[in-house]
Amino acid sequence: MPAKRSPARRPTMKDIAQRAGVSESAVSFALNDRPGVSEITRDRVRRVAEQLGWRPSTAARQLSGEGAATVGLVLARPADTLGVDSFFLQLISGIQEVLAERHLGLLFQVVEDIDDECAVYRRWWAEHRVDGVLVVDPRTDDARPDLLDELGLPAVVIGGAPDARHPGLSTVWADDAGAMAAVVDELSALGHSRIVHIAGLPGLAHTERRIRTLRAEAERRGLAEVRSVTTDYSDAEGAAVTRRVLEGGVVESGVAEGGLRPTALIYDNDVMAVAGVAAATELGFSVPGDVSVVAWEDSALCRMVKPWLSALSRDTVEFGRTAAKELTSLLDGGPARAVRVPVPRLISRESTGLCGA
């Protein structure tokens, strides 16, 4: 039997000291950016550390109170809906780009509900597992900001409106109200007055903002047949609700409502929109001849279906980068801020057209 190979030996501060010709204490001062060594020595030590491939030990950082070199992200959503959600894949991609530049790790966990998410934060804080957290899916009645304030855990809320009650938390947010108003304006200009919004999860702050804005825009324009239906963001529910509304009824708040068939459908993500087009076609409706379709999140998926889908487009990767930069700023001692990203832009494609009903 071949001999078992010994694991590679990690370079230590002693190795750096020997190579640089200085004491171990001088290496510690230089690498931790502390006074006690000259700038010439500091530069030499850092060059040697880079040549040797030295990296600080996370365990040592924790013991010295310098942090875990890790940030956390908890998602309280059904796990089976994540694999098809392009928004979160792009968001995490942007987050990871920034964290990689800072040599920070990302600790990611999926849980059942907000109570479980809060329990994770408490455990991470007690165990010194993370230096800060990124919070997604703000709720209309949300216990997380109070908890994070209590724990003193640096946090950036992604997608929530600025919150004066929690000045210690940073916020990166998009103008969902402005985006919904732009969609309604476009559909109204095409002659559509019967619009159904096939929304995401109820209770999410951005879902409620979109629903409120749709109602306000409909009232302002005198559009009587406009309503929203909440879902779990999945293709299955997107298709099921599409069939229901096109066959003559909408279920909202658990109550069946009759109504005229809608001439336009707004979906809260690309996956539901694609499933909706398939469901409408199966029922014998043409898009956009009988019903126009708009997807909230633009993606390659919107250009892989016929007809190509009109969609709200934004740089989701940059959204993630912005959130991660705000968190690293907090970790560096910077102030909490509210940062608004550009309003999603409506791209009109083949799935929207003049109302023929």
Side-chain angles (χ1 to χ4, degrees):
M1 293 289 291
K4 184 177 179 180
R5 294 180 59 185
S6 300
R9 179 177 171 275
R10 296 182 178 90
T12 66
M13 285 191 179
K14 183 177 181 180
D15 297 328
I16 299 171
Q18 291 175 345
R19 176 77 67 89
V22 297
S23 67
E24 289 185 50
S25 60
V27 172
S28 178
F29 291 152
L31 295 179
N32 289 293
D33 202 23
R34 293 172 180 163
V37 294
S38 69
E39 287 304 313
I40 293 175
T41 299
R42 194 183 308 276
D43 289 342
R44 182 166 74 252
V45 167
R46 287 176 175 174
R47 284 198 305 272
V48 170
E50 186 67 27
Q51 292 167 2
L52 294 177
W54 178 87
R55 293 292 181 270
S57 163
T58 299
R61 287 170 59 90
Q62 290 175 334
L63 289 172
S64 65
E66 294 182 7
T70 303
V71 301
L73 173 61
V74 184
L75 191 58
R77 279 198 187 187
D80 58 1
T81 67
L82 300 182
V84 294
D85 194 326
S86 63
F87 172 81
F88 271 106
L89 295 176
Q90 294 179 62
L91 184 76
I92 292 174
S93 176
I95 290 169
Q96 187 58 43
E97 282 187 24
V98 173
L99 297 184
E101 292 171 359
R102 294 285 298 265
H103 305 293
L104 294 172
L106 178 64
L107 184 56
F108 178 67
Q109 189 163 341
V110 179
V111 296
E112 288 293 323
D113 53 35
I114 292 296
D115 288 342
D116 288 342
E117 182 173 341
C118 288
V120 170
Y121 292 147
R122 290 189 185 93
R123 185 174 71 252
W124 283 352
W125 172 80
E127 297 174 353
H128 303 280
R129 295 288 299 279
V130 299
D131 298 323
V133 294
L134 295 158
V135 181
V136 295
D137 288 344
R139 264 63 173 180
T140 51
D141 183 16
D142 204 328
R144 294 172 295 176
D146 285 338
L147 173 63
L148 294 168
D149 265 350
E150 175 190 332
L151 297 177
L153 194 59
V156 174
V157 180
I158 301 174
D163 186 354
R165 296 174 304 160
H166 302 94
L169 305 183
S170 285
T171 302
V172 177
W173 65 291
D175 185 1
D176 292 289
M180 178 60 85
V183 173
V184 177
D185 188 58
E186 173 76 7
L187 293 175
S188 179
L190 292 171
H192 295 280
S193 60
R194 304 199 301 271
I195 303 170
V196 171
H197 168 214
I198 300 177
L201 290 165
L204 297 186
H206 66 259
T207 300
E208 299 303 323
R209 283 198 300 269
R210 295 173 192 179
I211 291 173
R212 286 196 306 269
T213 303
L214 177 61
R215 288 173 177 166
E217 292 296 319
E219 183 176 348
R220 186 168 71 85
R221 291 175 168 83
L223 310 179
E225 290 288 329
V226 174
R227 54 179 70 89
S228 298
V229 187
T230 56
T231 70
D232 66 358
Y233 282 114
S234 70
D235 56 332
E237 285 207 12
V241 173
T242 300
R243 294 187 189 97
R244 200 156 65 235
V245 300
L246 291 180
E247 289 175 333
V250 177
V251 175
E252 185 174 15
S253 302
V255 179
E257 294 183 359
L260 297 174
R261 177 181 60 80
T263 62
L265 301 172
I266 304 169
Y267 294 85
D268 262 6
N269 69 13
D270 52 348
V271 173
M272 291 198 297
V274 170
V277 169
T281 302
E282 289 171 4
L283 292 174
F285 295 102
S286 69
V287 177
D290 297 315
V291 60
S292 286
V293 168
V294 176
W296 198 273
E297 297 291 344
D298 191 24
S299 71
L301 198 58
C302 294
R303 301 181 297 279
M304 295 173 66
V305 63
K306 285 295 184 179
W308 282 18
L309 299 184
S310 297
L312 282 161
S313 177
R314 61 178 164 189
D315 190 342
T316 307
V317 173
E318 182 59 29
F319 199 1
R321 290 192 198 103
T322 301
K325 287 176 182 176
E326 290 304 310
L327 183 55
T328 57
S329 175
L330 288 178
L331 298 181
D332 290 339
R337 304 195 309 161
V339 179
R340 188 174 78 168
V341 298
V343 179
R345 178 172 57 93
L346 179 60
I347 299 177
S348 296
R349 298 193 181 106
E350 302 166 350
S351 68
T352 49
L354 291 169
C355 178

